[in-house]
Amino acid sequence: MIDVKAIGHATFETPDIGRMADYYTGVLGLHPEYRDEARAIFVTGLGRETLVLEKGDVARCTRIALQVAPNTDPGAVARDLSERESIRSERRSGITPGITDALVFKDPIGTEIELFTAWKAGDTRQTGGISPLKLGHIAFTCTDVKLQCAFYERVLGFRVSDWMEDFFVFMRCGPDHHTVNFAAAKAARLHHVAFELKDWSHIGEACDLLGQNNLPILWGPGRHGIGHNIFIYHRNPDDQIVECYTSLDQMPDESLGYYEPRPWHKDKPQRPKVWKRADAALSWGPQAWPDYFRGKD
Ligand SMILES: [Fe+2]
């Protein structure tokens, strides 16, 4: 029904917007496009809207903005959502400086989806900090991972890229191996948020920046099995896990059904499959520190 093409930005509520804004500016290297007491909107150095912070009682991800094809008719999508899925949606305007309007509705765990057709770049500028290329993916935990997966397939047009056994699904909406992930747990919450970096040397620079800011790397550098991305993970001031990654598997042609061959693939060609947990977590690299797993059950 809906054919999502890409992720735009994600919106997070935070009890301390100043502290988080300082982190996303000084450490992650985004720059504020808009700022007031209750809201901050950040773009990458390339002017791409990436993250919105809003004042809230608890730290949580409340919305993800997903881009659909420019010729999508929001009215027709709203009717389809209502008639086929009994989902109520609403048109909202002034989403961000770069997105004039969106069709908004909730997924099964209550995250609001903001569907938009076009965006306008903000100012481009050199930033300090890590300075990622884009928001890459968002991972959530949920109590019914099969239901969540089916919703993203049936309603939003995502495809399953890989399963880690039967409890962790990785889903794509474009060439990137995954844009959303869902892991089974006792409650629905953010699992981690991930930003794409340019290459290996950019990961090295990020490690140095995290060290300079006394933010421990909780897992990595290493290469995952699923998705084969080079990764590092740390926690932001709201205690949320943030991943910086590069070298994620790409599927440029859906009809071929396999990822671009890479030297580190064991399957030739590498196709979507169900992975064993140990193989899925690491191609190589250290095991995660215990603090990586805190709050994920
Ligand atoms: Fe990730």
Side-chain angles (χ1 to χ4, degrees):
M1 185 197 319
I2 299 166
D3 185 15
V4 171
K5 304 289 185 188
I7 192 165
H9 65 272
T11 301
F12 289 80
E13 286 185 353
T14 173
D16 192 336
I17 204 164
R19 188 176 64 169
M20 284 286 273
D22 287 349
Y23 159 82
Y24 275 113
T25 308
V27 178
L28 212 71
L30 304 176
H31 70 87
E33 181 184 37
Y34 174 84
R35 177 78 198 269
D36 64 26
E37 283 298 301
R39 198 160 189 241
I41 301 172
F42 297 90
V43 297
T44 65
L46 301 171
R48 189 170 180 148
E49 285 176 343
T50 302
L51 194 90
V52 175
L53 296 176
E54 294 179 342
K55 191 132 183 58
D57 293 335
V58 284
R60 63 189 188 119
C61 178
T62 53
R63 302 195 289 279
I64 51 176
L66 299 174
Q67 185 172 15
V68 291
N71 59 357
T72 303
D73 174 359
V77 172
R79 276 195 304 281
D80 266 5
L81 283 170
S82 173
E83 289 167 12
R84 296 189 194 186
E85 302 286 341
S86 300
I87 292 172
R88 226 179 43 185
S89 59
E90 63 176 72
R91 297 284 290 275
R92 282 187 202 159
S93 56
I95 301 296
T96 56
I99 299 176
T100 52
D101 68 293
L103 184 72
V104 184
F105 54 96
K106 285 185 178 169
D107 78 359
I109 60 171
T111 307
E112 284 192 321
I113 308 294
E114 297 171 307
L115 283 189
F116 67 98
T117 53
W119 59 281
K120 184 168 62 74
D123 290 343
T124 57
R125 73 175 71 164
Q126 282 301 117
T127 63
I130 293 170
S131 195
L133 296 175
K134 68 175 186 189
L135 172 66
H137 57 268
I138 307 235
F140 295 91
T141 63
C142 55
T143 55
D144 191 339
V145 70
K146 296 268 181 351
L147 177 91
Q148 189 74 2
C149 174
F151 179 91
Y152 275 73
E153 279 186 306
R154 189 183 70 248
V155 178
L156 294 168
F158 279 69
R159 283 80 65 192
V160 170
S161 285
D162 277 311
W163 275 95
M164 191 189 296
E165 299 180 3
D166 62 353
F167 63 89
F168 203 164
V169 66
F170 295 67
M171 306 186 76
R172 70 185 180 281
C173 60
D176 283 358
H177 177 278
H178 52 279
T179 296
V180 291
N181 324 350
F182 302 107
K186 291 179 197 146
R189 61 169 78 97
L190 182 76
H191 187 284
H192 68 274
V193 54
F195 297 92
E196 185 181 31
L197 307 196
K198 290 189 287 291
D199 52 26
W200 245 111
S201 66
H202 198 180
I203 293 280
E205 291 164 19
C207 291
D208 281 335
L209 262 155
L210 293 173
Q212 286 157 10
N213 285 278
N214 299 313
L215 292 169
I217 295 168
L218 303 177
W219 194 12
R223 187 186 290 283
H224 284 309
I226 286 185
H228 293 99
N229 38 322
I230 301 274
F231 63 85
I232 51 171
Y233 295 88
H234 68 281
R235 285 184 186 269
N236 69 21
D238 273 353
D239 214 27
Q240 294 158 333
I241 295 275
V242 177
E243 175 185 6
C244 294
Y245 74 89
T246 192
S247 178
L248 181 67
D249 279 350
Q250 299 288 307
M251 189 184 287
D253 189 330
E254 284 288 326
S255 68
L256 297 179
Y258 56 80
Y259 304 105
E260 279 272 286
R262 291 288 182 268
W264 41 85
H265 288 172
K266 288 183 180 163
D267 298 354
K268 301 187 187 322
Q270 188 78 47
R271 297 179 186 277
K273 67 174 185 178
V274 178
W275 292 66
K276 289 200 173 71
R277 184 176 192 147
D279 295 339
L282 280 176
S283 284
W284 55 260
Q287 298 296 323
W289 287 22
D291 193 35
Y292 169 84
F293 297 102
R294 180 166 50 79
K296 286 193 164 62
D297 55 352

